[in-house]
Amino acid sequence: MQGNLPPEAQEKIEQLQDLQETAQEVAVQKQETESNLTEAQNALTELENIEDETTMYRQVGELLVETDYDEAEEDLEDKVDSLELRLETLEKQEDRVQEQFEDLQDELEDLLGGAGGMGGPAGPGGPGAGGA
């Protein structure tokens, strides 16, 4: 089917596929960041239930190193702040990629004369699916 398409349409299909890959990569990064953020927030919450004098350790690579309460709290707060910022950046990137995908999909539909619906955004059928 793609052999019958104009070169501009083939190029847009390739761009759509690239954007789909980018969207998947961003989604994976976002999921990992959300998981790390939840873990850090839970640790910070648990820290509130621990007395200041309690001996604590933090993991440095394969080692556990003794740390004090204030340092542990500051490190966790910094980590939460950093992860929240990272998550916000990934959400913006995700929105941009989705918008680019939809714009490109519209351009492709215009190129092909709007023949045969292309499904929803990032639909599994993708461009050129179905029909003969």
Side-chain angles (χ1 to χ4, degrees), residues 10-114:
Q10 289 178 356
E11 183 179 326
K12 295 211 180 295
I13 288 171
E14 290 172 13
Q15 291 174 351
L16 280 170
Q17 290 169 339
D18 290 344
L19 279 173
Q20 209 164 19
E21 286 178 29
T22 301
Q24 289 171 344
E25 291 169 7
V26 170
V28 167
Q29 291 176 20
K30 182 180 169 189
Q31 186 176 18
E32 289 173 357
T33 302
E34 288 172 335
S35 176
N36 290 338
L37 177 58
T38 299
E39 187 177 303
Q41 289 170 328
N42 288 343
L44 199 53
T45 300
E46 278 302 312
L47 193 60
E48 294 171 2
N49 300 327
I50 297 174
E51 294 185 24
D52 294 2
E53 306 81 37
T54 303
T55 303
M56 289 186 287
Y57 299 89
R58 63 185 171 98
Q59 189 168 351
V60 179
E62 296 295 318
L63 301 174
L64 291 177
V65 179
E66 189 172 343
T67 188
D68 66 0
Y69 184 94
D70 291 334
E71 186 178 345
E73 183 178 40
E74 185 177 331
D75 287 348
L76 281 171
E77 287 172 348
D78 288 347
K79 185 173 184 175
V80 165
D81 290 344
S82 174
L83 288 168
E84 286 174 341
L85 184 60
R86 173 80 175 134
L87 186 58
E88 185 178 319
T89 302
L90 287 168
E91 287 171 345
K92 287 178 182 177
Q93 186 177 0
E94 188 176 50
D95 290 343
R96 269 194 314 273
V97 169
Q98 181 66 26
E99 185 177 318
Q100 289 174 335
F101 188 92
E102 290 170 1
D103 290 346
L104 198 54
Q105 195 173 36
D106 290 343
E107 290 174 26
L108 182 60
E109 287 177 0
D110 289 344
L111 259 177
L112 298 176

